[in-house]
Amino acid sequence: MSWAINNASMLAHLTGQNAYLALVPVLVGLVVSLPLGVLCVRFGWLYPPVLGLISVLYALPGLALFVVLIAYTGLTDTTVMIPLGVYSLAAIFPSVVDGLRSVPEPVRQAAVAMGFGTWRRLVTVELPIAVPVVIAGLRVSAVSSISLVSVGGLIGIGGLGYLFIDGEQRDFATEIVVGIILIVILSLVTDTVLVLVRRALTPWQRGRGRLNRRADMRADLPILPAGMQMP
Amino acid sequence: MHRITVNTSGSLAPRWRGYAVVGLAVVAGVALSACGSSKGSGKPSNPLAQSASKGSVVVGSANFPEDELLAQIYASDLQAHGIKVTTKFNIGAREVYYPEVKKGAITIIPEYNGALLTTSVDTTSTAATTAQVDAALKADLPGTLEILNPSSAQDADSVTVTAATAKRDHLTSIADLKPFAKNMDFGGPPEFATRSDGIPGLKKNYGLTFKKFVQTDESSTITFTDLKNGKVQAADVFSTTPQISTDHFVALTDPKNNFAAQNVLPLVYKAGVDSKITGLLNAISAKLTTSALLQMDTALVVRHASYTQVAQGFLTAEGLM
Amino acid sequence: MSYFSFAWQWLSLAHHWAGSNGVPARLIEHLEYTVIAMVIAAAIALPVGVLMGHTGRGGLTLVGIANVWRSLPTLGLLVLAFILSGGASWAWLIPLVALAIPPIMVTTYEGVLGVDADLKDAAAGMGMTPRQVLFKVEVPVALPLILLGLRTAAIQVVATATIAAYISLGGFGRYIIDGLATNNYQLVAAGAACVVVLALLVQFAFTGLGRLVVSAGLRQQARQS
């Protein structure tokens, strides 16, 4: 892969762009999902319609959403970042709700008994317990975003998608393969970082070894955003 | 124990509520837009257009490697002489970037005089030679734009076939296609289907009606692959594409000048450039020949050299930088 | 609002609904690509997923596959397939199938794996052979998740088929790619609208299929628990 080495700085620049275009929407998705999720747990009747709407949006193909946005934001980075934000919401929001709902009732009651107010309970007890599920949603959304940014190459948006367009134009399979590999690497690195963050935020889960293996695997197999269950 | 968990919503309504909301939004949107357009509130601006940027000189390029290379040559040269340059490469076909140059969102873009004339400036023009085309452009370009000196380098659209097809059907010029066209599928970039020197021009000037038009790409991998494997029998190929010779294709001659002269020259937004910039660009054009262009394209497409390397190599070799 | 008016301007013209570039023709093309890819993907992924779920093996491999799958860029795969296959007319099929297999396989595995052991015991107790247990108990109980995997895959395929217009495919993606090339936003907008409607219809279709195929007992249980 001497080509890759010779063009390392261009590749680094594109990778950085790709990461930025993908991860900012994920963060925005998280920031929106947290209060929205808390609200939907508090007012349970809100959850089904909101989830229904978001599930529908999640089904829409990326390129279609990008070009719809062109009408409002032109051919800019925002055109790609808004749909990615919506998709992130679809993956993270159900995770927040599921995570909060997974707090065992005795734990919540103990916190109430100890005199924790609503906010304190939320921030120091419920959210931390929800962390693994929320991070599972974050992982799904981060990896999907990183890959979907490359479709933006079709509308001239930056990121590693450029390598696919240029590779097609110059009959240069190597360039395309390098692009695919870089995207996969970027995704795996991001995924690993998020797993480390989860471990850092949930010290009580360390050292449970085998007992937790199946649960861990379930958390590592986030093929579907949590909550996208039976029809 | 891992059980199948089921979303316990207690009713079937939730998902349908979601659909209903989206459905209502869509109906509302369509209704509002139908109202809006019937009131004739004037033509909405094209969303594919980009907003004008201020400050530095913006060098843009179309969405194919040769134009990106030329833009890189311009940009590298200007930067080497101390001019602040922003680049916007791979914008799209002329239909996309021409409006941008007109309003100054792009300051400089490498162009091909004939294609510029017949695609965007005067679709009815019959100008054929370099001199005729340049004169027509100077007369008809909008006031905000000007073309600088043409280089001798030309890269024209051509109708190209495989060596085997040329031999079998005895093809040397586009006119020779007449008896065969109705059994041929023609490949080219999407815009070729509607451009005046594209499919309509071939019909008008040569009486050719092809069986089918297949959208391929801008004279690159898909076009050549489809020619090679017979998916299309003729295609729109740019004349300085290296694959013509490396893969043994035949570019048919164009005796009726369906494709006008296509000299490379800079198209500039007048208010965005000064005499220093135009001087530098004209110096580049003076040194740009068709063979130099073909050599550079070969480096890009066959040896996969980087755009900046090839651009800087040219500028240094010609003593421009 | 302005997006809708662009789409409407193109879609409301009758001649855009006829001929080889008309909406019905492109719809049929798009459906062809989707159905062919889904059938092949399901034929591969369903048996493998059922088998793995039934034997309980291979979960770790699936984790690996799932992680990599989600990160694969569709545009890159499509162009690469085109180049490596020398522009074969079936080049598009490889990425489409490759991207549809993981969701079907993984959710089928999860579904079959998660069938309550008590149910399997009861079935065996009633005298069913292991094969009967598999097909009469495990698969039907896992059906909701299996359908979910199929739905996810179908939507993925519809989306990828749209992008495949870049390598000369037909379907609704053609409108988007051609429109972008000719600065014709109306065409682009119409293409997006068609794709969106198709994706929603696929979503609906699988939901409906679930109602038809998932046993009433399971749905009842879902509602009550």
Side-chain angles (χ1 to χ4, degrees):
Chain A
M1 294 271 174
S2 58
W3 179 84
I5 300 173
N6 290 338
N7 290 274
S9 70
M10 171 188 80
L11 293 175
H13 171 69
L14 290 175
T15 307
Q17 256 187 335
N18 209 99
Y20 170 77
L21 291 170
L23 297 176
V24 167
V26 170
L27 281 175
V28 170
L30 178 64
V31 164
V32 171
S33 295
L34 284 173
L36 191 61
V38 169
L39 260 172
C40 287
V41 171
R42 171 64 52 85
F43 305 107
W45 54 267
L46 263 181
Y47 184 49
V50 174
L51 182 65
L53 175 63
I54 288 181
S55 311
V56 168
L57 289 173
Y58 192 69
L60 306 179
L63 180 60
L65 279 193
F66 291 166
V67 303
V68 168
L69 259 299
I70 291 179
Y72 306 99
T73 49
L75 290 170
T76 58
D77 289 349
T78 325
T79 309
V80 161
M81 284 165 57
I82 292 182
L84 288 178
V86 170
Y87 291 144
S88 295
L89 197 61
I92 302 172
F93 164 72
S95 300
V96 171
V97 172
D98 279 358
L100 288 174
R101 283 185 181 167
S102 74
V103 174
E105 193 55 26
V107 172
R108 181 177 300 125
Q109 292 188 354
V112 170
M114 283 167 62
F116 281 31
T118 320
W119 277 114
R120 193 170 166 203
R121 211 172 60 230
L122 183 69
V123 173
T124 61
V125 176
E126 295 172 330
L127 278 177
I129 292 183
V131 158
V133 181
V134 172
I135 292 205
L138 273 176
R139 290 166 67 191
V140 169
S141 126
V143 169
S144 311
S145 287
I146 288 171
S147 153
L148 202 48
V149 165
S150 65
V151 173
L154 288 172
I155 55 170
I157 303 301
L160 292 161
Y162 167 79
L163 296 174
F164 304 142
I165 306 288
D166 191 61
E168 189 279 324
Q169 290 174 336
R170 297 206 272 155
D171 196 9
F172 195 12
T174 309
E175 190 173 7
I176 299 172
V177 170
V178 168
I180 294 177
I181 291 177
L182 284 175
I183 287 184
V184 172
I185 291 180
L186 183 59
S187 300
L188 290 180
V189 165
T190 310
D191 191 71
T192 308
V193 165
L194 285 171
V195 170
L196 292 174
V197 167
R198 181 188 81 204
R199 292 205 194 149
L201 291 179
T202 56
W204 59 87
Q205 277 193 352
R206 288 182 215 142
R208 285 211 283 174
R210 248 149 208 261
L211 229 73
N212 224 24
R213 188 68 71 77
R214 181 60 72 79
D216 263 359
M217 213 176 74
R218 184 75 179 81
D220 282 342
L221 198 68
I223 199 79
L224 301 160
M228 306 277 174
Q229 305 274 0
M230 250 186 71
Chain B
M1 167 87 65
H2 173 79
R3 289 170 185 267
I4 303 176
T5 51
V6 168
N7 214 357
T8 57
S9 51
S11 78
L12 295 170
R15 183 168 296 273
W16 303 105
R17 275 190 223 154
Y19 284 128
V21 170
V22 171
L24 277 170
V26 170
V27 171
V30 172
L32 279 163
S33 70
C35 289
S37 50
S38 69
K39 281 194 189 125
S41 48
K43 200 167 170 223
S45 59
N46 189 339
L48 288 172
Q50 301 177 53
S51 55
S53 61
K54 305 206 163 81
S56 56
V57 162
V58 180
V59 177
S61 93
N63 57 347
F64 56 97
E66 184 179 270
D67 207 69
E68 187 178 336
L69 170 69
L70 290 165
Q72 185 63 63
I73 291 177
Y74 294 169
S76 297
D77 195 35
L78 293 174
Q79 275 167 333
H81 287 92
I83 295 163
K84 189 160 173 275
V85 173
T86 324
T87 59
K88 268 192 191 176
F89 293 159
N90 275 298
I91 303 171
R94 184 173 296 102
E95 286 81 352
V96 181
Y97 65 72
Y98 182 70
E100 301 313 301
V101 193
K102 253 202 296 195
K103 62 180 201 231
I106 308 281
T107 328
I108 301 170
I109 198 160
E111 262 293 13
Y112 302 82
N113 53 9
L116 172 61
L117 178 64
T118 52
T119 309
S120 301
V121 176
D122 178 8
T123 55
T124 63
S125 172
T126 53
T129 66
T130 304
Q132 289 172 338
V133 171
D134 283 352
L137 275 174
K138 289 191 172 136
D140 293 334
L141 269 175
T144 52
L145 298 176
E146 76 173 316
I147 46 163
L148 302 184
N149 298 345
S151 66
S152 65
Q154 290 206 35
D155 177 15
D157 289 82
S158 73
V159 174
T160 295
V161 297
T162 60
T165 310
K167 190 167 173 194
R168 181 194 72 204
D169 296 341
H170 310 291
L171 305 170
T172 44
S173 93
I174 300 181
D176 297 337
L177 284 171
K178 188 113 191 252
F180 306 103
K182 60 183 183 301
N183 293 321
M184 289 174 122
D185 288 343
F186 192 95
E191 60 273 17
F192 195 79
T194 46
R195 272 192 187 162
S196 63
D197 60 351
I199 296 286
L202 292 176
K203 178 150 193 193
K204 184 171 133 203
N205 290 317
Y206 292 99
L208 301 176
T209 308
F210 292 97
K211 191 165 75 165
K212 192 169 79 168
F213 178 75
V214 177
Q215 294 93 346
T216 53
D217 61 9
E218 312 287 329
S219 189
S220 20
T221 312
I222 298 179
T223 303
F224 286 103
T225 310
D226 283 356
L227 270 173
K228 269 188 272 188
N229 64 24
K231 184 166 175 203
V232 297
Q233 289 74 47
D236 170 35
V237 164
F238 307 159
S239 57
T240 50
T241 320
Q243 287 99 316
I244 298 181
S245 61
T246 59
D247 290 342
H248 311 294
F249 291 110
V250 173
L252 302 175
T253 63
D254 180 23
K256 295 194 187 161
N257 285 315
N258 175 59
F259 304 116
Q262 306 282 7
N263 302 78
V264 173
L265 45 59
L267 174 68
V268 302
Y269 180 72
K270 271 199 278 207
V273 298
D274 57 21
S275 57
K276 177 179 179 192
I277 294 176
T278 56
L280 287 170
L281 295 174
N282 281 332
I284 294 175
S285 298
K287 301 277 183 159
L288 197 58
T289 61
T290 304
S291 71
L293 200 49
L294 182 56
Q295 265 180 16
M296 290 192 282
D297 283 339
T298 308
L300 280 179
V301 172
V302 175
R303 293 196 302 277
H304 301 125
S306 81
Y307 292 93
T308 37
Q309 269 178 341
V310 177
Q312 283 166 0
F314 169 77
L315 289 167
T316 329
E318 299 291 345
L320 293 163
M321 196 166 83
Chain C
M1 230 148 301
S2 61
Y3 160 77
F4 289 108
S5 64
F6 278 101
W8 180 254
Q9 278 167 45
W10 194 91
L11 289 168
S12 55
L13 296 179
H15 69 264
H16 287 148
W17 290 76
S20 59
N21 197 35
V23 175
R26 294 298 184 199
L27 171 64
I28 291 178
E29 285 172 348
H30 213 117
L31 283 175
E32 266 175 25
Y33 307 138
T34 308
V35 167
I36 294 175
M38 281 299 293
V39 164
I40 297 178
I44 299 173
L46 283 175
V48 173
V50 166
L51 204 65
M52 285 171 81
H54 181 65
T55 58
R57 302 237 204 94
L60 229 51
T61 323
L62 280 184
V63 171
I65 291 178
N67 279 339
V68 175
W69 157 67
R70 201 181 283 281
S71 66
L72 291 173
T74 54
L75 179 60
L77 290 181
L78 285 167
V79 179
L80 190 62
F82 183 90
I83 292 182
L84 292 181
S85 71
S89 54
W90 42 261
W92 55 271
L93 193 56
I94 309 231
L96 256 67
V97 167
L99 290 170
I101 287 180
I104 301 176
M105 197 160 57
V106 171
T107 41
T108 304
Y109 162 80
E110 284 195 357
V112 173
L113 186 70
V115 173
D116 205 336
D118 293 343
L119 282 172
K120 292 191 274 194
D121 276 347
M126 282 166 58
M128 291 192 191
T129 65
R131 189 192 225 156
Q132 283 175 324
V133 172
L134 179 61
F135 287 110
K136 291 195 176 174
V137 176
E138 289 181 82
V139 168
V141 172
L143 209 47
L145 270 174
I146 294 178
L147 282 176
L148 190 54
L150 287 169
R151 188 179 88 200
T152 308
I155 295 200
Q156 167 84 64
V157 169
V158 168
T160 312
T162 310
I163 297 174
Y166 185 67
I167 53 166
S168 267
L169 232 62
F172 289 138
R174 195 75 264 148
Y175 294 156
I176 297 180
I177 299 292
D178 289 354
L180 287 172
T182 51
N183 204 29
N184 181 353
Y185 189 68
Q186 289 179 10
L187 183 56
V188 175
C194 292
V195 171
V196 162
V197 169
L198 180 59
L200 290 177
L201 285 176
V202 168
Q203 181 100 319
F204 262 117
F206 273 94
T207 313
L209 189 64
R211 306 276 292 293
L212 272 176
V213 163
V214 173
S215 98
L218 275 172
R219 279 184 277 129
Q220 186 86 337
Q221 183 192 56
R223 246 175 281 158
Q224 281 170 352
S225 57

